[in-house]
Amino acid sequence: MSPGVVLDASVILNLLGSGKVTTILGAIPGRRIVVEVTSGEVLRHPLEPKSDGDPLAPLVLAGLLELVTLEGAAVSRFFDLVGAEPPNDLDDGEAAALAVGESLGVRVALDERKGRRVASAVLPHVELACSGSIFADAAVSAALGADLADALFSSLVNARMRVLVEHDAWVRGVLGPRAALCPSLRRRPR
Amino acid sequence: MAKLYGVSTHSLLRPSAVRVDLVGQFRRKLGEKNDKHALAALALLHDLAAANVELEQRLQKLTLVDYPPERRVGRGRVEQQAEELAAELRSRLGLGLGAIPDLVGLLELELGLRIFVRPLHSSVAGVYAFHDELGACVLLNRLHPRARRRWTIAHELGHFMTTRREPSVALSGTKKHQDDVFADAFAAAFLMPSATVRRIFDEYVGQEGRFSARHLILGAHRFGVSLEAFGRQLEKLEFLPQGTYDSLRHRGLDERTVQQVLGTQSESDATEPGARLMMLAAEAHELGLFSEGQLADMLVMDRVDVRRIVDAFTSVELVDAPVEARPG
C-alpha cells in the first residue's frame, strides 16, 4: 500500500466535527484523497449546520485534501459494488472510496459496519482504516497534543462519530468521565 | 444518468427500490398551474413514502391498511355532507364526540396512513397522495405550529375520504377548489363535532354568562386547533355572530394573550409523524441491511441526523427480555 488514505464520508464528517480538521489532515502522511462522488455526500459541516457552502472546498483549496474522480478500472469496480445484490450493495460514496483505494493502492478510511464487511469480503487486499485509527495514529495524536480529548469529544457529540470495538477502550481512556456524555458511545458494541 | 436525474447511482441500481410517478400524476392534474414548492413537497413525499415501503418490505413489517370506503361528494349542501362523513368516520374509529389528542397516531395505526413531517416552503401546509404501491401518504410542514398541522392532516383526510386517488396540496392564500371547501368542512367537523362545541360553549357561557377571548383560547386548546379554526366553527354553528373572531384579532388577541392564558405549552405531538419510518430505518441499519449513507439518501436527510436517529432508537435496550407469546 502507498502512503496516504482515501476518506469516506462517514470519516470525513467526524474529522470536520472535531473542530481540528486541518491539524488532523496535516498530520496524515502521504496523499489525503476524497473522491468527488464521496464529497457530494458531505452536505453540511457538523459544526456549521446552517452554512450553505461546500464544507470540503476550503480543505481542497488549502491542499489538505485531494479531490479525485473515478477513472479507469475504478469505474467498473464502483458499479460492481453499488449494483451488488442486497445486502451487499454499497452506497455511492463508500463504493467510490473503495474503488479508488483499490486502484491507487491506498488504504481506505471507512467507519460503516456494512461497508467494512463488504470490503473485507470483496476487496481483502484493500487495507481499511477508520476514524478511531486516524485519531489514535501517533502522528495525529502528537499534532493534536493537549487538544486530542476535546477533538475526540467534539467528533463524538457533534458528528456522532462511530467507534469500532477495537478502539472503544482507547477512546474511553482518552475521554475519561466525558465518555458518558457521548450518545454514540452509549450504544452496545457489536 | 444518475447525474442527469440528480439521484444516486445506488438508488437507480437497487432492485428493492420503490419508484412510482407521483409528481407526474400531480403535474397532469394541475396542468399549467404547477407550483414549484408544491412539486418539491410532492417529490419529497414520494421519496419518504417509497423509503417507508422499501424498508417495510426488507424488514417484512408491512403496514396494516384498513381504509374506509371512498365516498364521492354528492348533490346538496357540502357542509352537511362533510359533517355526516366526519361523524361516520369518528364512529368507525370508535372516537365518540371527544377531542382527538393523538390524531397522527390514530390515523397511522387505525387506518394505515403514512404521515411524515419535514420543513417545507412556508406556502405549503401539506401534501397528500395515493398510489397502489405506496398507499395513502401525507407530508406536513414541520415549520407550521402543531394546531395548524392537525388541521392540515384533517383536511387531507377529507381528500382521502372523497377523492382518494387525486393528489392534493394544501397551499396558503390560494383560491380554494370545491374539493378543498369540502375538505375544510370535513376537517372542522372531524376535529370539532358540533355537539361537543355546543357543550363546551354552554359550559363556558354558563359559568360566566358571556363568552370571552379567554374561552376562545381554552376551547381551541381543548380541541387542539388554532384560535381561528375554533372561532370560525363557533361562528359557523351560530354560537357567535359572524365577524367575532376578526374583531377579537383587531382588538389585540395574539400569541401573547394565548401564553397569558395557557402558559408555555409544549408543541410536541403525542406521536411524532414519521416516527415509524425512523424506527424502521434504525432497525435496518442495525441489521446491516442499509448503511447510513444509503439511509441518508433514501430519507433525504443529513448523515449526522441519520446517526442521531440510529442512536435514539438503539441506545436504550431495556426491553431485550423475550416476551412470552399468548396462546390463541
Side-chain angles (χ1 to χ4, degrees):
Chain A
M1 288 272 150
S2 307
V5 63
V6 181
L7 298 160
D8 175 49
S10 59
V11 172
I12 296 171
L13 281 169
N14 302 331
L15 303 188
L16 288 169
S18 71
K20 297 287 174 191
V21 64
T22 54
T23 309
I24 296 170
L25 289 175
I28 297 175
R31 300 172 70 179
R32 295 154 307 239
I33 298 166
V34 61
V35 190
E36 205 176 14
V37 176
T38 314
S39 75
E41 293 183 353
V42 183
L43 301 174
R44 280 193 324 190
H45 194 305
L47 301 180
E48 299 160 24
K50 292 190 175 159
S51 167
D52 283 337
D54 173 4
L56 301 185
L59 301 171
V60 175
L61 204 63
L64 288 165
L65 270 183
E66 185 186 341
L67 199 61
V68 304
T69 51
L70 281 170
E71 284 175 352
V75 176
S76 70
R77 177 63 84 184
F78 167 77
F79 280 109
D80 287 347
L81 293 171
V82 167
E85 278 297 310
N88 297 324
D89 53 328
L90 295 185
D91 68 57
D92 291 14
E94 286 172 333
L98 287 166
V100 167
E102 180 189 34
S103 129
L104 298 177
V106 175
R107 71 195 166 121
V108 177
L110 179 66
D111 281 353
E112 264 288 310
R113 232 172 343 121
K114 180 178 173 183
R116 293 177 70 86
R117 173 179 62 75
V118 172
S120 302
V122 180
L123 307 169
H125 49 287
V126 174
E127 190 184 323
L128 295 180
C130 62
S131 298
S133 69
I134 290 175
F135 275 104
D137 178 83
V140 172
S141 290
L144 286 170
D147 292 331
L148 174 63
D150 286 345
L152 254 182
F153 183 71
S154 182
S155 293
L156 285 157
V157 171
N158 295 309
R160 303 267 174 156
M161 181 172 105
R162 275 40 194 144
V163 176
L164 303 186
V165 177
E166 55 264 41
H167 296 112
D168 192 71
W170 179 80
V171 168
R172 288 175 192 276
V174 172
L175 291 177
R178 281 198 288 177
L181 303 173
C182 303
S184 55
L185 277 184
R186 276 189 224 129
R187 303 172 69 227
R188 182 179 296 169
R190 286 166 194 264
Chain B
M1 188 186 273
K3 234 178 201 171
L4 184 68
Y5 285 103
V7 297
S8 68
T9 309
H10 178 255
S11 70
L12 286 180
L13 297 179
R14 196 170 67 247
S16 58
V18 178
R19 301 175 197 91
V20 299
D21 186 17
L22 283 187
V23 177
Q25 209 183 14
F26 186 69
R27 275 185 200 279
R28 283 190 292 279
K29 185 190 173 196
L30 279 196
E32 295 293 301
K33 291 185 224 162
N34 280 318
D35 178 295
K36 69 174 181 181
H37 301 302
L39 288 174
L42 205 63
L44 178 58
L45 175 60
H46 165 270
D47 290 347
L48 296 174
N52 199 336
V53 171
E54 184 177 1
L55 286 167
E56 285 179 1
Q57 289 171 349
R58 292 284 292 275
L59 292 166
Q60 299 185 325
K61 289 189 171 179
L62 301 182
T63 290
L64 293 175
V65 168
D66 185 17
Y67 296 160
E70 190 179 356
R71 189 84 62 80
R72 289 276 163 184
V73 180
R75 288 185 184 179
R77 282 186 55 216
V78 163
E79 288 187 351
Q80 191 179 338
Q81 292 183 60
E83 196 160 329
E84 286 168 7
L85 192 56
E88 269 181 46
L89 184 59
R90 272 184 161 264
S91 165
R92 180 188 169 103
L93 295 170
L95 289 176
L97 292 171
I100 308 169
D102 184 6
L103 183 58
V104 169
L106 178 83
L107 299 179
E108 282 185 333
L109 195 67
E110 296 295 329
L111 300 184
L113 262 59
R114 300 182 199 283
I115 302 170
F116 312 101
V117 59
R118 284 291 176 88
L120 303 174
H121 187 266
S122 59
S123 64
V124 181
V127 287
Y128 162 84
F130 180 94
H131 191 280
D132 286 332
E133 277 190 64
L134 304 179
C137 332
V138 181
L139 172 62
L140 305 167
N141 192 342
R142 183 184 281 281
L143 304 179
H144 286 177
R146 176 176 176 264
R148 174 112 189 253
R149 293 205 302 261
R150 280 168 58 84
W151 179 270
T152 306
I153 306 177
H155 172 99
E156 302 300 4
L157 185 62
H159 286 296
F160 166 76
M161 294 297 293
T162 52
T163 51
R164 187 163 301 171
R165 288 179 173 274
E166 290 179 27
S168 131
V169 176
L171 289 167
S172 308
T174 53
K175 195 174 170 233
K176 287 202 165 126
H177 187 269
Q178 191 61 22
D179 292 345
D180 290 316
V181 173
F182 177 89
D184 274 349
F186 176 89
F190 189 71
L191 292 172
M192 302 171 280
S194 56
T196 315
V197 174
R198 176 187 299 282
R199 204 176 304 151
I200 286 176
F201 182 82
D202 287 346
E203 180 189 317
Y204 291 158
V205 173
Q207 278 170 4
E208 297 180 24
R210 67 188 186 90
F211 192 86
S212 70
R214 196 168 64 83
H215 294 139
L216 185 73
I217 294 167
L218 290 172
H221 180 63
R222 274 171 87 165
F223 283 116
V225 298
S226 67
L227 297 183
E228 180 171 5
F230 186 50
R232 304 274 183 231
Q233 183 74 337
L234 287 168
E235 289 176 14
K236 193 182 86 182
L237 298 172
E238 299 181 352
F239 293 116
L240 294 178
Q242 292 295 316
T244 304
Y245 171 76
D246 289 334
S247 162
L248 285 170
R249 290 298 284 194
H250 288 138
R251 279 152 52 199
L253 177 65
D254 57 14
E255 275 309 307
R256 206 165 50 87
T257 331
V258 174
Q259 277 189 10
Q260 281 170 1
V261 175
L262 297 177
T264 309
Q265 291 290 320
S266 165
E267 269 282 285
S268 66
D269 288 282
T271 303
E272 183 64 21
R276 184 167 182 272
L277 173 61
M278 300 309 153
M279 195 179 68
L280 293 172
E283 188 177 342
H285 182 267
E286 285 305 281
L287 291 172
L289 297 176
F290 292 98
S291 67
E292 72 181 28
Q294 289 168 331
L295 290 171
D297 185 32
M298 290 164 68
L299 303 175
V300 200
M301 282 184 108
D302 182 74
R303 285 177 79 125
V304 177
D305 289 335
V306 171
R307 291 178 181 182
R308 282 200 181 90
I309 287 161
V310 171
D311 287 346
F313 281 94
T314 56
S315 60
V316 180
E317 299 191 30
L318 299 175
V319 287
D320 272 356
V323 178
E324 207 169 292
R326 290 166 63 179

